[in-house]
Amino acid sequence: MKSIYTALLQHCGAIKGAIDNVKLGNITAMLSKIEPAVKMSQGFTGKKTSKNEEFVKHVSENNVLYTMDQIRKKSPILKEMEEKGEIKIVGVFYNLTDGTLEFLK
């Protein structure tokens, strides 16, 4: 079975920018694509700021899960292939601090 991976790096500046609702030229459009993950993360208990690394990681993981969901919604062909077991859509969180990968469902 082939896998399609969607990944995100730990300490991603784009995630922090989306949390802070940064508006800065061309980057604004990119950050708007992360906003759904910020909204998905509002149930997080604790400080919801870009300075809270736990919250940043939570948003990052939600961004990967959201991206996986969007792949399935926007590509019926890939969704069907996954349902038939021909491929697997996999989310991965890359930890920069220790080089490990966390696979998300």
Side-chain angles (χ1 to χ4, degrees), residues 4 6 64-80 82-83 87-91 104-105:
I4 296 174
T6 178
V64 172
L65 297 173
Y66 176 77
T67 301
M68 292 169 61
D69 184 58
Q70 290 301 298
I71 290 169
R72 291 179 181 112
K73 284 182 180 174
K74 293 183 178 184
S75 179
I77 294 170
L78 293 178
K79 181 180 179 183
E80 182 181 338
E82 183 178 40
E83 289 170 350
I87 65 165
K88 183 156 182 69
I89 299 171
V90 180
L104 307 176
K105 293 183 179 187

Side-chain angles (χ1 to χ4, degrees), residues 41-95:
S41 302
Q42 291 309 301
F44 178 83
T45 54
K47 288 186 133 189
K48 297 177 188 81
T49 71
S50 64
K51 298 199 184 317
N52 181 351
E53 289 300 322
E54 289 180 29
F55 182 61
V56 172
K57 183 177 183 203
H58 186 72
V59 173
S60 298
E61 290 172 346
N62 277 336
N63 190 55
V64 172
L65 297 173
Y66 176 77
T67 301
M68 292 169 61
D69 184 58
Q70 290 301 298
I71 290 169
R72 291 179 181 112
K73 284 182 180 174
K74 293 183 178 184
S75 179
I77 294 170
L78 293 178
K79 181 180 179 183
E80 182 181 338
M81 289 175 73
E82 183 178 40
E83 289 170 350
K84 289 180 178 178
E86 296 172 35
I87 65 165
K88 183 156 182 69
I89 299 171
V90 180
V92 180
F93 182 80
Y94 178 68
N95 292 296

